[in-house]
């Protein structure tokens, strides 16, 4: 489970000093939220410090008439709630790592019953701090996925639903997909997308045939990316026998789309859409396991089965694995101009993340053509992603002003004028050109480049 991976990473940070714990959990010391006595990372009494044997030796038996430190899991609901409220206050102030350590330690002590009660104990069932709620949700999902699913439906909590579906998916992917299919339409897409994107390296359980059966019976979930899960499950086959995996994707896409009988205006269940989703899931899993094998498999996919969205990510991986020349080579060998442009965007993103000044200088060395056009277009996209101002005309214009030569700036702005994602404020090309940081002569040149617009 995701919970267990995160909890382990935090606990490895070491035991938390009890004096510090008492300092921020409240005015009066509480009994310790400790692990069982045998655990070497146990946090001892809040009122005391770390035990002398904190190096890992087995703790001595308590003396006569000496109380044994309480565990968080032994507290009643009211006291557990008090502790979590204080943790929320601490996390709300500075997101302290010490508070996360305590959360990691105490959450694993809870039973499914206790985790469920805490999730419902706060006003309207809502814990304000996302970290506290996430630890509780993932604990409940780890202990009792079905109960987490039902409570998530009751509370309308997408994150709890996602944690429940993730836990179900590790045991049986078909069961997880069926749970998603049974959700209201409003929640279905959110939960499925989070489930597919936040698996933290977990493997899906069950069989491909079981998943195919669920998809055929529930075609509505195909539009939310469910076919990607099926592709993910074929990654093992792709590592053993790429040709067999290629054939399997094509046959399953035809089988699922044939059974779906979807609205003819809904293309999400067509054979091309289903196969594309499977390619995405398959390549994503391969890149997690072995980027080199993923690139080899990518090359084996027929061009007719590839789509432009595959290329930015593949180019980025090749940049990271083999450098800029390896990524450019992918773009150069494409006969489809759109594939070339999309691959160029992946090269730019990799280069700009590594060394933006060098990437800007690199643009000046690129010859005219589809590759350079793709790079310039990606400068706009990158500016929106970096600034979190998606679709902002001003952000895109400022990104162009950072290019190192007037020729590149003119090429960039001319490219913007032909992109439907630019001009989101409804401004006409003439109005946009008037706003650009260019001289009057350069603006006239831009007018000429984007003919038939005439200069005023």
């Amino acid at each position: 489970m995701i919970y267990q991976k995160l909890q382990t990473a935090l606990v490895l940070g070491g035991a938390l000093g009890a004096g510090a714990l008492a300092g921020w959990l409240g005015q009066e010391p509480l009994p310790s939220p400790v692990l069982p006595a045998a655990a070497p990372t146990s946090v001892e009494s809040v009122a005391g410090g770390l035990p002398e044997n904190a190096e890992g030796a087995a703790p001595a038996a308590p003396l006569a008439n000496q109380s044994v430190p309480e565990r968080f899991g032994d507290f009643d609901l009211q006291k557990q709630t008090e502790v979590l409220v204080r943790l929320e206050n601490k996390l709300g102030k500075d997101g302290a790592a010490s508070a996360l350590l305590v959360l990691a330690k105490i959450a694993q002590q809870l039973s499914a019953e206790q985790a469920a009660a805490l999730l419902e104990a706060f006003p309207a069932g809502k814990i304000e701090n996302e970290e506290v709620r996430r630890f509780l949700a993932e604990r409940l999902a780890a202990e009792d996925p079905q109960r987490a699913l039902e409570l998530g439906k009751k509370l309308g909590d997408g994150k709890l639903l996602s944690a429940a579906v993730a836990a179900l998916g590790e045991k049986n992917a078909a069961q997880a997909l069926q749970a998603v299919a049974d959700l209201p339409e409003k929640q279905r897409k959110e939960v499925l997308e989070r489930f597919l994107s936040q698996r933290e390296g977990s493997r899906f359980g069950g069989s491909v045939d079981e998943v195919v059966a669920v998809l055929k019976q529930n075609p509505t979930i195909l539009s939310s990316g469910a076919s990607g899960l099926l592709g993910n499950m074929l990654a093992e086959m792709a590592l053993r026998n790429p040709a067999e995996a290629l054939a399997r994707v094509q046959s399953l896409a035809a089988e699922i789309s044939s059974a779906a009988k979807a609205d003819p205006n809904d293309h999400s269940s067509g054979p091309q859409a289903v196969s594309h989703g499977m390619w995405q899931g398959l390549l994503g899993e391969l890149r997690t396991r072995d980027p080199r094998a993923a690139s080899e498999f990518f090359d084996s996919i027929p061009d007719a089965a590839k789509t432009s969205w595959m290329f930015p990510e593949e180019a980025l991986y090749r940049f990271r694995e083999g450098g800029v020349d390896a990524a450019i080579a992918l773009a150069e060998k494409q006969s489809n101009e759109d594939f070339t442009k999309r691959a160029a965007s992946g090269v730019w993103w990799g280069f700009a993340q590594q060394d933006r000044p060098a990437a800007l200088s690199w643009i000046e060395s690129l010859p005219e053509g589809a590759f350079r056009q793709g790079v310039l277009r990606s400068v706009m996209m990158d500016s929106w992603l970096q600034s979190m101002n998606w679709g902002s005309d001003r952000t895109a214009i400022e990104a162009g002003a950072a290019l190192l030569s007037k020729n590149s700036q003119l090429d960039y702005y001319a490219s913007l004028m032909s992109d439907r994602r630019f001009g989101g404020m409804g401004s006409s090309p003439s109005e946009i050109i008037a706003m650009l940081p260019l001289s009057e002569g350069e603006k006239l040149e831009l007018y000429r480049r984007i003919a038939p617009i005439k200069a005023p």
Side-chain angles (χ1 to χ4, degrees), residues 147-191:
R147 181 165 186 170
L149 187 67
E150 295 306 316
L151 183 58
K153 292 177 182 179
K154 176 182 176 181
L155 299 178
D157 188 330
K159 291 183 178 179
L160 179 54
L161 287 169
S162 299
V165 170
L168 288 172
E170 289 189 15
K171 298 177 180 177
N172 189 294
Q175 185 180 358
L177 278 184
Q178 186 62 60
V180 172
D182 293 340
L183 293 174
E185 183 178 356
K186 184 177 180 181
Q187 294 176 322
R188 193 181 302 142
K189 184 174 182 179
E190 173 196 353
V191 171

Side-chain angles (χ1 to χ4, degrees), residues 301-385:
I301 300 174
D303 286 348
K306 290 177 180 175
T307 57
S308 58
W309 60 259
M310 295 179 177
F311 285 87
E313 189 171 9
E314 181 61 29
L316 178 59
Y317 271 89
R318 296 197 185 198
F319 177 88
R320 290 172 176 170
E321 291 292 311
V324 66
D325 290 339
I328 290 176
L330 172 67
E332 288 181 334
K333 68 181 183 181
Q334 303 307 317
S335 56
N336 183 312
E337 187 174 282
D338 191 42
F339 290 176
T340 299
K341 291 179 180 179
R342 294 301 185 93
S345 69
V347 182
W348 161 260
W349 285 329
F351 207 165
Q353 289 172 7
Q354 184 183 82
D355 188 339
R356 183 169 292 270
L360 290 171
S361 297
W362 171 69
I363 290 176
E364 301 305 314
S365 69
L366 298 177
E368 293 294 331
F371 185 85
R372 187 169 187 269
Q373 292 170 16
V375 169
L376 291 174
R377 187 72 57 86
S378 67
V379 170
M380 173 187 72
M381 303 291 289
D382 188 40
S383 70
W384 288 340
L385 290 172

